Amino acid sequence: MWTNLDRPPLDVRALRRALVDGPQASWSRVDVVAETGSTNADLVAGVANFADRTALIAEHQDSGRGRHSRSFSGAPRSQILLSMLLKFPGIDPAVLGWLPLMTGIALVDTLRTVAEVDARLKWPNDVLIGGKKVSGILAEVAAHGPSPTVVIGLGVNVSMTAEELPVATATSLALENAAVLDRDTLVRAILRGVAAEVDSWRDSNWGIDALAHRYRERCGTIGQRVRVDLPGGEEKFGTAVDVDEHGRIVIEMENVDSGRPAVLAVAAGDVTHLRPVS
């Protein structure tokens, strides 16, 4: 069983030196709080008071939530609970749905290179290792206008034990024998990775061709037979074959009357669950 000695607090001064004040500075502000309800909610509520590239990290959350307001929690200091406030001047609002997918690219690359685990993206906003969820991502538009402000939150299970996991389909970096479990190291890498992704996307004038290509390369959902659970209880089965220019998953459907597969493209907000099936 892990103890507080095994789970040291984040070193906010070192994080600020590396990310805000140092020669590789890419963030305007980094804060760490011992406990809060939701880091996303805190940044959304105070959006008018925060500069672009503000990061807020909590050692513990008691009201964390993901897609469709699903709650999640974990033992203090056993996770990375991080929210980022970012501004996107001149972006086409139609491509804002790519933000959690962009964050997923940065997170998967960090976990692969730093933690040395075989992380893959599960559409639209989960990160899996060996088919089990290690991280989730949630993006919320906090302010509209010519320079939309978006808050992107993510949670990573770092040192959680099997007994501490909320469901059997979850995992943690510790359980996957990751090469690095130091949360300071992981936070630095994640924030640098996200900043680099934003810079690259901005430099492409918010084009999605390269972003979509890189997402597809990391997405383990493509090629899987899946079950799509729609609001109202309707289920559909098919094979995920692509992610389109709008960030929607494209599925070749089964059991259609036309004699050939029908194609269904669904957005994240239109799906309750998307599960792989055998």
Side-chain angles (χ1 to χ4, degrees):
M1 180 64 66
W2 290 74
T3 69
N4 282 340
L5 293 177
D6 300 314
R7 291 170 169 164
L10 290 164
D11 186 342
V12 65
R13 292 183 179 179
L15 291 173
R16 287 172 177 161
R17 284 196 300 269
L19 297 163
V20 179
D21 305 320
Q24 298 185 57
S26 53
W27 290 82
S28 62
R29 178 173 175 177
V30 175
D31 291 327
V32 177
V33 296
E35 184 171 354
T36 190
S38 163
T39 52
N40 260 37
D42 291 346
L43 290 184
V44 170
V47 62
N49 302 316
F50 295 120
D52 182 26
R53 300 202 183 191
T54 291
L56 176 63
I57 312 159
E59 298 284 22
H60 179 62
Q61 283 187 160
D62 57 22
S63 301
R65 57 195 171 88
R67 291 181 64 234
H68 303 292
S69 297
R70 299 177 187 125
S71 63
F72 66 90
S73 62
R77 305 179 188 173
S78 67
Q79 300 167 296
I80 292 170
L81 302 167
L82 164 66
S83 293
M84 302 161 283
L85 185 146
L86 298 161
K87 297 186 178 182
F88 295 88
I91 198 170
D92 180 353
V95 303
L96 286 174
W98 275 96
L99 288 172
L101 284 69
M102 176 207 73
T103 306
I105 293 171
L107 182 53
V108 160
D109 287 356
T110 295
L111 295 182
R112 288 179 177 181
T113 58
V114 177
E116 299 180 18
V117 291
D118 185 19
R120 298 176 186 272
L121 291 164
K122 174 183 178 290
W123 183 90
N125 57 1
D126 289 343
V127 178
L128 309 184
I129 303 173
K132 293 189 173 184
K133 181 175 176 177
V134 72
S135 176
I137 299 164
L138 176 68
E140 303 176 81
V141 178
H144 296 272
S147 182
T149 301
V150 180
V151 173
I152 306 172
L154 61 86
V156 182
N157 298 333
V158 178
S159 64
M160 296 177 78
T161 65
E163 294 75 22
E164 291 172 328
L165 293 170
V167 292
T169 54
T171 190
S172 70
L173 295 179
L175 291 172
E176 299 298 332
N177 300 311
V180 171
L181 296 178
D182 179 73
R183 291 185 304 140
D184 288 279
T185 300
L186 294 167
V187 166
R188 285 196 301 271
I190 292 168
L191 286 173
R192 284 173 176 156
V194 170
E197 289 292 339
V198 174
D199 289 343
S200 177
W201 197 15
R202 179 200 59 214
D203 292 345
S204 75
N205 197 28
W206 311 120
I208 58 89
D209 289 347
L211 189 65
H213 175 72
R214 295 173 61 239
Y215 182 86
R216 293 181 188 115
E217 288 183 327
R218 294 156 177 78
C219 183
T221 306
I222 296 173
Q224 287 189 328
R225 184 172 181 263
V226 296
R227 185 189 78 221
V228 183
D229 295 342
L230 300 171
E234 183 181 5
E235 294 181 347
K236 292 184 178 294
F237 293 84
T239 300
V241 295
D242 197 7
V243 173
D244 71 10
E245 68 273 16
H246 303 293
R248 301 176 301 184
I249 193 75
V250 180
I251 301 169
E252 289 186 351
M253 305 306 298
E254 301 173 358
N255 302 321
V256 292
D257 297 331
S258 63
R260 59 182 182 179
V263 175
L264 176 69
V266 290
D270 299 330
V271 178
T272 304
H273 289 290
L274 186 140
R275 308 283 196 200
V277 293
S278 57

